Amino acid sequence: MQLFVDNLTNVDFSYLDDQRGLVGETWLASVLLDGGLNHTSMIWDFGLVKKVMRNWLDDQLDHRLLLPIQSNRLSYDIKEERITLTWTFGNDDVLTMDAPIEAVALIDAEHIDQTAVAQWSLQQLESEFPENLEHIQLSFESEEIMGAFYHYSHGLKKHDGNCQRIAHGHRSRIQIWRDGNRDNNLEISWAERWADIYIGSEEDLVSISNDQKPQMHFAYDAPQGHFELTLPQRTCYIMNSDTTVECIAAHIAKVLQSEHGNSSITVKAFEGIHKGAIVEV
């Protein structure tokens, strides 16, 4: 007998990829449980499935940077509840980060993908499952998006929750109207402009290195502690505001209006799944 919970939750996070760089991502999580009935004639109470599994996913994966600790691209050191790390990409670009340990998830895998993260998550959760469960399947999948979307990472130092972590991200759709008409070409163009981008706030930019491969160094203090991130300039986009989805939508609208002869522009920018901001200029 099987029990299922489709779309149990969704997790927004970032991860490091050899070729793509720092990648913002959003996955939907679903579970399938095999087992016999317990004394309440249930495999497992839905309320407990949600409490145990959804809460764990929200706490241990959501709004973190996922690190594949078996990768030879990664070196890291943990000291006094902080982590310092260096990641070398396939083209020899380098990313470094110094942050509280809760800003990352140390995934016991060589690379980050849906299968590896699901297997690692179940290993961490094993002690939480009731004895009558014979098999548990956790699966992740991306939202089906018919139109344009982009992957972005950022950090919100003024946020009271986990959004303050300097390298977390989202896979987000984008919808744009020009003079009242939906403009698919503008949507595709902006998605390409922001493919696998780090969106940084100008006030958090500490320095830009002056070398052959310029690096941008960001740093700020937030309620969870001090955060620093350095990554290739070519992968960054700087805004002169915070990088909340409200500010992102406003920024996109104003840039597009200036690029297209002061047309009326409406932007519906998503932050992950089923949430975001709408701005008209």
Side-chain angles (χ1 to χ4, degrees):
M1 188 175 294
Q2 294 180 316
L3 191 74
F4 68 90
V5 184
D6 291 336
N7 299 338
L8 173 68
T9 189
N10 61 271
V11 288
D12 296 283
F13 61 93
S14 292
Y15 69 96
L16 296 166
D17 181 84
D18 285 358
Q19 304 302 321
R20 293 173 61 185
L22 177 64
V23 182
E25 187 60 275
T26 302
W27 289 343
L28 286 160
S30 298
V31 294
L32 182 66
L33 313 172
D34 287 86
L37 301 182
N38 61 19
H39 69 282
T40 65
S41 299
M42 297 179 181
I43 296 176
W44 202 11
D45 186 281
F46 281 122
L48 292 176
V49 175
K50 294 176 181 178
K51 181 180 179 180
V52 172
M53 299 197 71
R54 182 168 63 191
N55 288 356
W56 187 90
L57 292 168
D58 290 345
D59 183 59
Q60 298 298 318
L61 293 182
D62 196 49
H63 287 73
R64 292 181 181 243
L65 174 63
L66 275 54
L67 302 173
I69 61 175
Q70 292 184 17
S71 174
N72 58 14
R73 299 280 178 183
L74 174 69
S75 62
Y76 67 96
D77 181 57
I78 298 173
K79 187 178 298 182
E80 297 180 354
E81 298 301 312
R82 294 190 62 83
I83 184 169
T84 56
L85 67 93
T86 300
W87 178 275
T88 304
F89 298 104
N91 59 3
D92 292 329
D93 279 343
V94 174
L95 176 148
T96 63
M97 191 173 86
D98 179 7
I101 189 63
E102 61 193 354
V104 304
L106 302 175
I107 309 297
D108 189 14
E110 190 173 348
H111 60 273
I112 300 299
D113 60 28
Q114 294 170 352
T115 300
V117 176
Q119 290 176 347
W120 176 82
S121 298
L122 289 177
Q123 290 170 0
Q124 307 306 304
L125 278 162
E126 189 173 7
S127 63
E128 303 292 333
F129 301 142
E131 293 182 359
N132 61 300
L133 285 184
E134 299 168 3
H135 180 70
I136 302 174
Q137 178 180 318
L138 172 65
S139 60
F140 294 109
E141 62 181 352
S142 299
E143 177 192 19
E144 184 176 349
I145 300 177
M146 301 303 295
F149 63 90
Y150 51 88
H151 298 255
Y152 75 97
S153 300
H154 67 156
L156 304 175
K157 69 180 179 186
K158 300 173 185 175
H159 195 266
D160 289 331
N162 294 334
C163 291
Q164 66 191 264
R165 295 167 181 169
I166 200 167
H168 76 275
H170 315 272
R171 174 181 181 263
S172 302
R173 66 177 74 199
I174 177 78
Q175 297 175 357
I176 300 169
W177 288 261
R178 179 181 178 187
D179 294 328
N181 298 308
R182 182 82 176 268
D183 194 321
N184 292 328
N185 289 330
L186 282 185
E187 294 169 2
I188 293 170
S189 175
W190 196 273
E192 290 174 347
R193 188 184 304 196
W194 272 10
D196 297 336
I197 200 74
Y198 184 80
I199 306 175
S201 176
E202 188 174 52
E203 67 180 20
D204 300 328
L205 178 60
V206 176
S207 63
I208 304 174
S209 66
N210 185 20
D211 50 48
Q212 209 166 27
K213 289 187 173 183
Q215 299 272 104
M216 284 189 159
H217 180 63
F218 299 90
Y220 57 72
D221 292 304
Q224 289 184 1
H226 182 71
F227 294 85
E228 295 191 25
L229 178 69
T230 302
L231 66 170
Q233 182 179 13
R234 63 176 184 79
T235 67
C236 299
Y237 186 100
I238 302 300
M239 288 174 45
N240 62 357
S241 66
D242 293 322
T243 61
T244 62
V245 71
E246 296 92 337
C247 292
I248 285 173
H251 177 84
I252 295 172
K254 291 174 183 175
V255 169
L256 290 177
Q257 186 182 60
S258 69
E259 292 177 349
H260 295 278
N262 291 321
S263 298
S264 171
I265 300 290
T266 300
V267 172
K268 186 175 184 180
F270 287 71
E271 184 185 76
I273 300 175
H274 301 318
K275 63 186 188 299
I278 302 172
V279 171
E280 181 178 354
V281 295

